[in-house]
Amino acid sequence: MTNPNDPFPDFSDVQGGSSSSAPPPVTPPTQTYTVKSGDSLSKIAKQVYGNAKAWRKIYEANKDKIKNPDLIYPGQVFTIPQA
């Protein structure tokens, strides 16, 4: 109810909510790589990033699958982080 003597509008019945017109953030697609015979992390990094020294980025993202970065096996599927 509005009181004509009150100089401020009454917003006490307003409920919180989201009314943003901004779209939700876009998550970049996840890229994967299936290891082939003869592959190494540095070879994959060279192919994916153009820099063999970026192998550690692949290793860090897949530590749960890679016990030893020098020993990867055909058929393993690694997540490739964004450059």
Side-chain angles (χ1 to χ4, degrees):
M1 185 163 148
T2 306
N3 181 346
N5 296 327
D6 191 356
F8 302 104
D10 178 16
F11 292 108
S12 63
D13 63 344
V14 174
Q15 295 181 4
S18 178
S19 63
S20 174
S21 60
V26 176
T27 304
T30 302
Q31 182 179 355
T32 60
Y33 181 88
T34 303
V35 178
K36 298 184 288 283
S37 180
D39 277 344
S40 65
L41 290 179
S42 58
K43 185 175 178 181
I44 297 168
K46 176 74 173 170
Q47 180 180 334
V48 174
Y49 301 124
N51 180 1
K53 292 181 182 180
W55 68 268
R56 192 173 299 273
K57 183 181 282 196
I58 298 169
Y59 173 65
E60 292 295 329
N62 294 279
K63 274 186 168 179
D64 58 324
K65 302 172 194 165
I66 304 171
K67 303 254 187 283
N68 179 340
D70 292 324
L71 299 174
I72 61 173
Y73 304 97
Q76 286 183 296
V77 179
F78 296 147
T79 299
I80 304 299
Q82 296 294 315

